[in-house]
Amino acid sequence: MRPETLVRDHTIYACVMGSRAFGLATEGSDTDRRGVFLAPTALFWRFQKPPTHVEGPAEEQFSWELERFCELALRANPNILECLHSPLVEHVDDTGRELLALRGAFLSRRAHETFTRYALGQRRKLEATVRAHGTPRWKHAMHLLRLLMSSRDLLRTGALTLDVGDEREPLLAVKRGEVPWPEVVSRMNRLAAEADEAAGRSPLPAEPDQRRVEDFLVRVRRASALQPDPYDEVVQGVVDGRGVG
């Protein structure tokens, strides 16, 4: 089965991410689409396994197979957790709704480490750009501040909210280069310190609820296994002269 067919026919959840989901879109902003597909269980019985992710078929589109998505979410991968909480859902079926109902099971204090590690990596890149060119990539600086705000608020409240709300204009001012770099650095330091402080008394559990997520995945895989083997359908289509889809 072709990767694009998996995305086209087996997507359980699809959303818009990036600036549009964060409430930071401006004229000309890209539309980044992310999704989760459920590969038919029968495909895993063959030597050639289905892909863990698929880029495309549309521009700015990226999808994960459900198991890989859950695995990354349990590790508190920032991009994956934010995908689960996008306010801009474009498609969701019954299985996708079950996945969304599990959002809380993925959240834990692990997010402090993963968000911090990701933020540090992005900050090093910004600082390298400043050393080389005198100024950072202002758009990247804006998104790093947003990530640090999101991390702090998640640890404080136990809820992950993507839309920046009242912080839109201050963040866009950073994107436009209207805020001096030393002030941006000061904001980064303050937000990181606030996240560290919040981690010590966060309402989030120490670990995600892996058992609950795994029970969901096994149930979904079992239900899929009872469906007709898609490989048999392809073979029958060739025999009938319909070709391969």
Side-chain angles (χ1 to χ4, degrees):
M1 184 175 292
R2 295 172 181 170
E4 59 268 26
T5 302
L6 286 169
V7 174
R8 185 191 67 207
D9 295 344
H10 298 281
T11 290
I12 64 171
Y13 171 68
C15 67
V16 172
M17 285 299 299
S19 295
R20 298 191 184 280
F22 303 141
L24 291 169
T26 57
E27 186 176 353
S29 290
D30 293 333
T31 301
D32 300 321
R33 288 184 165 86
R34 301 291 180 265
V36 182
F37 62 90
L38 173 62
T41 300
L43 295 181
F44 291 92
W45 299 338
R46 305 186 182 281
F47 286 121
Q48 186 173 357
K49 309 301 182 187
T52 58
H53 60 269
V54 175
E55 188 169 355
E59 292 185 11
E60 308 297 337
Q61 182 181 10
F62 193 96
S63 301
W64 296 268
E65 206 283 323
L66 177 61
E67 182 174 345
R68 178 59 172 165
F69 186 86
C70 290
E71 181 182 39
L72 292 172
L74 286 168
R75 295 179 189 173
N77 179 291
N79 291 323
I80 299 295
L81 291 182
E82 290 187 335
C83 181
L84 266 177
H85 291 78
S86 173
L88 304 177
V89 176
E90 292 193 319
H91 169 78
V92 62
D93 65 7
D94 289 342
T95 305
R97 278 184 277 274
E98 285 192 69
L99 175 65
L100 292 180
L102 284 172
R103 283 184 292 199
F106 294 106
L107 296 178
S108 72
R109 291 200 293 274
R110 286 185 183 181
H112 182 223
E113 178 187 354
T114 55
F115 276 67
T116 298
R117 185 168 61 242
Y118 184 79
L120 283 174
Q122 295 304 305
R123 179 166 176 169
R124 290 191 187 101
K125 291 178 182 179
L126 285 170
E127 290 171 342
T129 303
V130 171
R131 288 194 297 271
H133 304 287
T135 59
R137 293 185 176 184
W138 292 110
K139 179 180 178 180
H140 292 187
M142 175 193 73
H143 281 298
L144 178 50
L145 286 171
R146 182 211 62 79
L147 178 72
L148 289 167
M149 290 176 186
S150 180
S151 173
R152 177 201 60 189
D153 294 344
L154 169 61
L155 291 165
R156 281 178 173 176
T157 67
L160 184 57
T161 302
L162 268 60
D163 194 291
V164 299
D166 294 340
E167 294 293 335
R168 171 182 165 84
E169 287 308 318
L171 286 169
L172 288 178
V174 172
K175 181 182 179 181
R176 294 191 295 266
E178 297 171 359
V179 182
W181 174 241
E183 183 176 338
V184 173
V185 171
S186 178
R187 291 186 192 178
M188 290 177 183
N189 292 338
R190 175 175 53 82
L191 289 167
E194 290 173 350
D196 289 343
E197 182 182 4
R201 54 176 185 270
S202 176
L204 291 172
E207 300 291 334
D209 193 342
Q210 180 169 327
R211 177 63 180 273
R212 187 178 165 202
V213 174
E214 190 169 50
D215 286 348
F216 159 71
L217 183 61
V218 169
R219 186 174 68 254
V220 168
R221 287 275 192 249
R222 184 177 291 121
S224 175
L226 298 176
Q227 302 300 313
D229 188 334
Y231 180 80
D232 291 340
E233 294 180 2
V234 168
V235 172
Q236 188 60 48
V238 173
V239 172
D240 294 344
R242 297 196 302 266
V244 179

